[in-house]
Amino acid sequence: MNQKTRIISQILFLLLLIPLLAHAAMVEPKTKREYPEEVKVGQDDAAYTLKGTGVALREKTFMKVDVYVIASYISAKAEIQDNKAQQVKDLDVNKRLVMDLTRGFSAEKLKKAFSEVIEKNYQDMSMFKADMDTFLAYFTKDAEEGDNLVFDYQPQIGLTTTVNGEVKGVINNFEFVKALWTVWFGDKPASKGMREDLVTYL
């Protein structure tokens, strides 16, 4: 192989490698915040892999003030086809939401942000109302810029809510899990643009 052919081969190899490098992380375009495209949870026989479905930015008011960045994950074994957002919400499999707050606001505003969207998606909340009250009670302190919220669902355990590394509690009611996911994946989400962004990696 002469030098010219070798150089061309190297260039072609690099061009093929670029898409693989580009998708190593999910990136929110405005904030440039990155999240791994795949995460491994647990150890040994209990370990499982989650694949990223997308990342989105929540903005408020006409000035488009950044509120939080959220990344979504679902079991790597999940087969997602049509109606991607609905399937992410409805599938009873391992999944995770990671929220990173980009500004501070009161605990009441945070709770209101969750409850208002859930209420818009349900006429009857009797199947999970008590669990929603338990969930909202986790948030007793005002939110601050840099706070990290993680919602981890495992079918065999339930929904674990973690705030800044502290486990707040576990709710074992999949009806509430679906209700919480409607905030981003429901028919009436907090933002339809966010719903689209959160399934772009599927």
Side-chain angles (χ1 to χ4, degrees), residues 24-176:
M26 302 187 294
V27 182
E28 196 292 305
K30 183 179 177 182
T31 62
K32 306 301 181 185
R33 191 180 291 270
E34 296 185 1
Y35 296 86
E37 203 173 300
E38 186 175 279
V39 293
K40 187 175 181 181
V41 182
Q43 296 180 341
D44 302 325
D45 294 340
Y48 59 90
T49 302
L50 298 173
K51 60 183 178 183
T53 73
V55 59
L57 173 66
R58 177 58 168 156
E59 298 174 310
K60 290 284 285 184
T61 78
F62 69 95
M63 297 179 67
K64 293 189 175 181
V65 177
D66 298 351
V67 180
Y68 62 80
V69 181
I70 184 167
S72 166
Y73 294 88
I74 197 166
S75 170
K77 297 179 181 180
E79 296 183 2
I80 309 291
Q81 297 177 355
D82 297 331
N83 300 317
K84 294 178 181 179
Q86 182 178 337
Q87 288 190 62
V88 171
K89 173 177 68 73
D90 290 344
L91 284 176
D92 189 359
V93 297
N94 294 318
K95 48 191 172 184
R96 168 182 289 182
L97 293 170
V98 180
M99 287 179 64
D100 288 300
L101 307 189
T102 56
R103 65 186 297 265
F105 42 88
S106 70
E108 290 306 313
K109 282 189 176 181
L110 178 62
K111 291 188 279 190
K112 186 177 180 181
F114 289 127
S115 59
E116 281 191 342
V117 181
I118 292 173
E119 288 169 3
K120 288 179 181 178
N121 282 277
Y122 286 88
Q123 292 184 341
D124 180 8
M125 299 192 299
S126 59
M127 291 184 293
F128 58 81
K129 182 63 170 64
D131 292 305
M132 187 165 85
D133 292 341
T134 298
F135 172 79
L136 296 176
Y138 294 157
F139 306 101
T140 56
K141 298 179 180 179
D142 290 346
E144 298 181 2
E145 180 181 351
D147 281 355
N148 170 260
L149 285 65
V150 179
F151 308 119
D152 251 320
Y153 174 69
Q154 295 175 258
Q156 65 274 29
I157 295 176
L159 176 72
T160 302
T161 297
T162 306
V163 179
N164 295 331
E166 178 187 353
V167 174
K168 293 295 184 178
V170 180
I171 294 173
N172 191 6
N173 180 357
F174 187 60
E175 292 302 323
F176 175 69

